[in-house]
Amino acid sequence: MFKIEIQLEPKRKSLYEEAIRRLRSIYVSDDANTAPDARIVGPENAISNQGVPCLVDQPERIVSHTLASLIKSDSHIMPAHALRFSSRVKPIDEALRAGKLGKPGLMRLHYWATEGVSLKQAMFGPIDLARWFFQDEPSMRQWVETKHSLLCHLQFPSDGMALMNVSNPFEGEVAYESVQLIGATGAAYGDDHHNTHLHFRKNSISARIQHNNIMHGLMGLVSEFVDGILNDRDWNVTLKDTLRIHELLEELVDG
């Protein structure tokens, strides 16, 4: 059975432990005398864990010079771009890859961030998702920042665009996220509150409902990580993706 060691703070560790328990074919190794097959680590421990495959949690917190060093070292590291594996995003991505939406034209995303996350860090996932959906680099970038929100517009060479807004939650509000992707022949929608994914086609509307649970996203993330190791294949996300998003954020927010 595949053994994973988790080096994270207690709250994040417990989330991954629960996700791994649900996968069943993997187990968490707490035996210091047994070498794990892989590790899940925080951004602060990425450099110190070279030599064993690592899934780096919260890559939006990795500083750029550390990313550059990791890329040069050719470390076997998968950054945990969690939004790609979200239960809200997965049906949209499946519909897009299956050709059911046609050429992507407009992505819209709104996210009320959780406490302790900066607006810049909260925009990491949405920008990654836009690059992933459109499979290209943005040719034009615009942004508007206020005290409580960050609005970003990305234009792509295909004439597609992404409009993304992240906001700090006001008192009494909880984290919330919605994402829509409109294509040439269909559209798909994922809503954090209602857990509903709608697919609009020429003559019909269909809905796919999934339980809103962070475990689904973490299970998909860990499965991709382990499957890549076992089958000796590239993961669908790399540190170069992480670095590029950091560069875009620096251009947008800090530039």
Side-chain angles (χ1 to χ4, degrees), residues 53-54 76-78 224-226 228-229 233-238:
C54 285
H76 202 191
I77 288 176
M78 174 182 164
E224 169 66 15
F225 175 56
V226 173
I229 296 170
R233 65 166 177 82
D234 293 335
W235 294 303
N236 67 9
V237 59
T238 71

Side-chain angles (χ1 to χ4, degrees), residues 32-230:
N33 297 317
T34 302
D37 297 302
R39 290 192 179 99
I40 300 174
V41 302
E44 68 281 359
N45 292 321
I47 288 183
S48 62
N49 275 283
Q50 297 182 39
V52 62
C54 285
L55 176 66
V56 179
D57 187 45
Q58 297 180 311
E60 64 273 14
R61 298 178 184 269
I62 305 177
V63 295
S64 295
H65 71 267
T66 299
L67 273 172
S69 298
L70 289 171
I71 292 172
K72 287 181 181 179
S73 69
D74 199 28
S75 300
H76 202 191
I77 288 176
M78 174 182 164
H81 288 211
L83 189 56
R84 294 191 186 193
F85 299 89
S86 163
S87 59
R88 297 174 294 284
V89 169
K90 187 176 180 180
I92 299 174
D93 180 61
E94 288 176 350
L96 177 63
R97 306 305 170 196
K100 296 179 180 179
L101 306 183
K103 179 182 176 181
L106 173 64
M107 170 187 148
R108 294 180 59 192
L109 182 144
H110 181 75
Y111 177 49
W112 280 323
T114 54
E115 292 183 7
V117 178
S118 71
L119 292 174
K120 182 177 176 180
Q121 290 172 341
M123 188 60 81
F124 180 94
I127 289 180
D128 176 56
L129 198 60
R131 291 178 68 250
W132 196 42
F133 280 163
F134 288 96
Q135 293 289 297
D136 207 345
E137 293 294 335
S139 55
M140 186 171 68
R141 304 175 283 277
Q142 296 173 314
W143 74 99
V144 176
E145 184 177 11
T146 67
K147 182 179 179 181
H148 294 292
S149 69
L150 179 62
L151 176 65
C152 179
H153 165 239
L154 300 179
Q155 182 78 36
F156 291 87
S158 63
D159 291 330
M161 69 174 68
L163 296 173
M164 301 162 290
N165 180 60
V166 297
S167 305
N168 289 325
F170 296 101
E171 186 176 353
E173 293 179 346
V174 296
Y176 166 79
E177 183 180 271
S178 68
V179 58
Q180 304 94 40
L181 183 64
I182 300 172
T185 59
Y189 170 80
D191 187 283
D192 196 14
H193 277 188
H194 300 289
N195 316 314
T196 303
H197 306 270
L198 297 178
H199 295 256
F200 295 88
R201 299 187 178 90
K202 186 175 181 179
N203 298 313
S204 66
I205 298 176
S206 63
R208 296 177 61 180
I209 301 175
Q210 296 189 9
H211 176 54
N212 176 33
N213 192 322
I214 192 173
M215 289 302 128
H216 289 175
L218 290 181
M219 288 167 67
L221 193 61
V222 173
S223 294
E224 169 66 15
F225 175 56
V226 173
D227 188 69
I229 296 170
L230 293 177

